[in-house]
Amino acid sequence: MPVAQLTSLDYVVMAIYFAVVLGIGWALRRMMRTSTDFFLSGRSLPPWVTGLAFLSANLGAQEVIGMGASGAKYGIATAHFYWVGAIPAMVFVGLFMMPFYYGSRARSVPEYLKLRFDEKTRTLNAVSFAAMTVFSSGVSMYAMGKLLNLLLGWDFDTSVLVAAAIVLAYVLLGGLTSAIYNEVLQFFMIVFGFAPLVWIGLRAVGGWGGLRYRLGQLALDRGLPADALTHTWKGMGDAATNPIGVEWFGLMMGLAFVLSFGYWCTDFLVVQRAMAADSMSAARRTPLIAALPKMFFPFLVILPGMIALAHGSDASVGGLATAGTGMIPPKLLPSGVPMVNEQGSFVLDYDLATPMMLVRLFPTGMLGLGVTALMASFMSGMAGNVTAFNTVWTYDIYQAHIRKGASDAHYLWMGRAATVGGIALSIAAAYVAGAFNNIMDFLQLIFAFVNAPLFATFALGMFWKRSTGHGAFWGLVAGTLGAALHHGLTLARGSTPGVKGGYFATLHLYRSELAQTFYTATAAFLTCFVVTIVISLATRPRADDELRGLVYSLTPRPADDSRHWTQRPAVLASVVLGMTLLLNVLFY
């Protein structure tokens, strides 16, 4: 039985949104004449468009559902993903790394690795990145299928196929340009869809003061200090006194430095949006413009999860929440029986925190807007990953190794075929994501295996001219193996050996899956960093002339000739960092 009764007005809101999304793709179809048009938008977009797209490409299921789930599981400490993670990393990529990506005229991040190192390093990164985009897109499909199944009573398989078909249609028609303009639309849909939800939810629990009181009681029930769920830094001196279950060093090293810089500085999914900008200055401002709204997103996506945990713990919706906490129901086994852990407690389905907020608190009409905002976030994440996948597959794998020297029309055709293939693989990945009760934990684990060692490769490649292609390649291999070894020898409390780790042995037990992932990322980064240095020192480096424009010490600094101070990257970066520091202090 569906738990939400959508009315005709709700369906009209959803229908208008889908019509506009497909209309954008239809309107842009005649502009897709070359592969550059399809994959890179012809490098012609203004910075405010690429900035919002840079932000929205990350606004998939991991942002809306995943952050809501983490808000319910870890409290406001989830904001560390933004205030010590994403924002500083976005400033760094705008100031220091974008000149290399944009200035080298590389068409993708793997292609930059070919220019800096060699073909084998590029290929290794291209294959691992392609796999990661498939899994990330699959997570968005899983979340959307689960949502439609819960709210509308649709079969999960049907829900996944419908979501995939819509994204496939508008990406096939308009390529990256269609995805980017839809991401801008989806950004505003998400803001206008979730801002009223937070306002209504806070009023329902008695404002921020009421929320703090209710979460204080729940924190005490978990054996944590009363303010553990409403402060970001209190309790970070000991893994036992904060909900994430990690001390400050693990947080700063694993999340703030390795995972965040690894994602925002090397992930082609977001970098591709900046590379579509119309100038070097616009490309550098793209992540800085995105950082301004990004720092306030914890109030839009984390707070709903916290409210869902605190609101109406004795209530239920369609019978789902009777054994859960607040609005959050237990995770169900395939037989429909609630899942319990080794201690006999119900395993909560945190991924449903935000959807349950929608169906409980939104009235008719508003519910249609809220559900549409959720769908917008899923489709944004799916389209972002699919457009990054088709570019890397076509340029860095197909053109580089399978068919060189073909016509541009052939590569344009291959890009469209890769879009179909990427969607098909993502559907398969959607079923793997169902093994986790928090999709954010699953995504961070993927990033730990792929982005963490890659960040070490880029850091050494851009800022140490002595690093070599052999060092970079074997460093990446060793880093990924280091992640697999650490993950295979450790486990989080309450988890069983398998996809969640411990498949070799259990030498250490972490307090949470997130803490385990932070240290898996740290192990991958350090292994890659050390192996790259050792092998680079044992192999012959390239001449300085071959590295100009690719290495920091051999590249002239880009001139900042912007007429207005708001267009200068250094000024924008100072404003962004100052505001982020203030948020850390306010929610200490």
Side-chain angles (χ1 to χ4, degrees):
M1 289 288 290
V3 299
Q5 297 298 324
L6 297 183
T7 65
S8 299
L9 181 59
D10 295 318
Y11 283 112
V12 168
V13 173
M14 294 169 60
I16 292 173
Y17 170 73
F18 288 130
V20 172
V21 164
L22 293 173
I24 290 174
W26 181 261
L28 293 171
R29 74 191 191 286
R30 296 185 184 282
M31 298 173 62
M32 300 299 110
R33 299 186 180 92
T34 68
S35 62
T36 302
D37 296 332
F38 188 79
F39 295 120
L40 294 174
S41 296
R43 295 199 170 191
S44 59
L45 300 180
W48 74 269
V49 171
T50 54
L52 291 182
F54 189 95
L55 172 61
S56 299
N58 176 253
L59 283 180
Q62 70 271 29
E63 191 81 1
V64 177
I65 296 296
M67 284 298 176
S70 294
K73 193 172 182 179
Y74 306 119
I76 196 65
T78 308
H80 285 306
F81 279 92
Y82 298 80
W83 297 339
V84 299
I87 304 301
M90 292 163 79
V91 170
F92 186 80
V93 71
L95 291 182
F96 298 105
M97 297 183 76
M98 199 51 67
F100 299 112
Y101 288 136
Y102 199 89
S104 68
R105 306 302 291 178
R107 298 169 297 181
S108 66
V109 166
E111 189 168 71
Y112 170 82
L113 287 177
K114 177 193 175 186
L115 298 173
R116 173 60 184 88
F117 294 116
D118 53 27
E119 187 64 52
K120 64 179 182 296
T121 307
R122 170 208 210 181
T123 303
L124 178 61
N125 174 237
V127 171
S128 61
F129 177 78
M132 186 179 71
T133 56
V134 165
F135 276 111
S136 297
S137 180
V139 167
S140 288
M141 287 188 180
Y142 161 75
M144 188 167 187
K146 192 170 181 177
L147 173 74
L148 295 178
N149 178 264
L150 170 72
L151 297 184
L152 309 181
W154 286 14
D155 175 72
F156 178 84
D157 300 332
T158 305
S159 304
V160 167
L161 292 176
V162 168
I166 294 172
V167 171
L168 177 64
Y170 77 73
V171 173
L172 274 180
L173 287 168
L176 178 63
T177 309
S178 176
I180 284 179
Y181 278 109
N182 271 309
E183 284 161 2
V184 173
L185 169 67
Q186 287 152 355
F187 167 81
F188 288 108
M189 285 297 304
I190 292 166
V191 171
F192 291 123
F194 282 88
L197 180 68
V198 174
W199 173 257
I200 294 172
L202 276 177
R203 289 191 61 181
V205 297
W208 178 247
L211 181 64
R212 289 182 62 185
Y213 174 77
R214 295 179 186 224
L215 291 180
Q217 299 299 310
L218 291 170
L220 291 173
D221 292 344
R222 293 185 187 180
L224 295 169
D227 53 7
L229 294 171
T230 50
H231 285 270
T232 54
W233 288 102
K234 285 186 178 178
M236 293 306 296
D238 189 326
T241 56
N242 68 82
I244 297 180
V246 66
E247 75 296 334
W248 70 268
F249 175 79
L251 178 84
M252 293 303 294
M253 186 66 188
L255 172 63
F257 182 62
V258 177
L259 279 174
S260 297
F261 277 69
Y263 176 79
W264 291 99
C265 296
T266 67
D267 196 309
F268 183 56
L269 165 66
V270 290
V271 173
Q272 186 182 26
R273 274 65 191 160
M275 293 170 74
D278 57 11
S279 67
M280 170 69 85
S281 175
R284 296 184 71 197
R285 277 181 281 146
T286 292
L288 301 175
I289 291 171
L292 286 169
K294 179 77 174 178
M295 72 176 71
F296 297 106
F297 261 70
F299 306 116
L300 212 57
V301 296
I302 294 175
L303 266 184
M306 297 169 64
I307 295 169
L309 183 69
H311 185 275
S313 59
D314 58 344
S316 67
V317 176
L320 284 175
T322 50
T325 301
M327 298 183 192
I328 305 172
K331 194 173 182 66
L332 301 179
L333 295 168
S335 61
V337 176
M339 186 182 297
V340 294
N341 59 23
E342 294 177 349
Q343 291 74 40
S345 302
F346 289 111
V347 176
L348 297 182
D349 199 341
Y350 290 107
D351 292 339
L352 292 180
T354 300
M356 295 304 279
M357 277 276 290
L358 284 173
V359 300
R360 286 288 306 277
L361 299 181
F362 264 173
T364 299
M366 288 294 291
L367 181 56
L369 178 64
V371 173
T372 305
L374 270 182
M375 291 183 175
S377 75
F378 303 146
M379 291 165 58
S380 173
M382 291 161 60
N385 280 288
V386 168
T387 52
F389 172 85
N390 64 24
T391 305
V392 168
W393 165 264
T394 303
Y395 283 150
D396 299 298
I397 297 176
Y398 184 78
Q399 186 178 32
H401 298 286
I402 299 175
R403 186 166 178 180
K404 299 178 181 178
S407 67
D408 188 74
H410 177 80
Y411 293 127
L412 177 60
W413 173 85
M414 175 47 64
R416 289 190 165 117
T419 303
V420 178
I423 290 281
L425 291 172
S426 300
I427 292 172
Y431 291 89
V432 178
F436 288 73
N437 73 335
N438 181 343
I439 55 176
M440 176 57 78
D441 291 346
F442 177 57
L443 282 170
Q444 294 303 319
L445 180 60
I446 294 173
F447 296 153
F449 274 75
V450 178
N451 289 100
L454 187 61
F455 177 53
T457 302
F458 270 90
L460 289 170
M462 287 186 172
F463 300 103
W464 188 47
K465 67 178 184 180
R466 184 64 180 76
S467 58
T468 67
H470 294 305
F473 177 80
W474 290 110
L476 274 176
V477 172
T480 304
L481 292 176
L485 184 62
H486 179 272
H487 192 242
L489 293 174
T490 62
L491 203 62
R493 288 184 179 178
S495 299
T496 54
V499 70
K500 294 188 175 184
Y503 35 81
F504 295 136
T506 305
L507 301 183
H508 182 73
L509 204 60
Y510 286 100
R511 299 183 69 87
S512 71
E513 293 173 16
L514 210 48
Q516 180 193 18
T517 298
F518 289 166
Y519 278 99
T520 298
T522 301
F525 175 84
L526 292 177
T527 303
C528 179
F529 195 82
V530 171
V531 171
T532 301
I533 290 176
V534 170
I535 295 182
S536 292
L537 291 174
T539 50
R540 189 172 64 181
R542 294 172 64 183
D544 286 358
D545 288 343
E546 299 176 8
L547 298 177
R548 300 194 190 285
L550 301 172
V551 176
Y552 189 79
S553 61
L554 300 174
T555 303
R557 307 294 177 268
D560 187 1
D561 55 356
S562 303
R563 294 184 178 180
H564 198 276
W565 66 269
T566 57
Q567 297 179 344
R568 294 173 189 162
V571 176
L572 273 175
S574 300
V575 172
V576 167
L577 291 177
M579 293 172 67
T580 307
L581 178 61
L582 180 61
L583 287 169
N584 272 286
V585 172
L586 288 175
F587 287 88
Y588 175 83

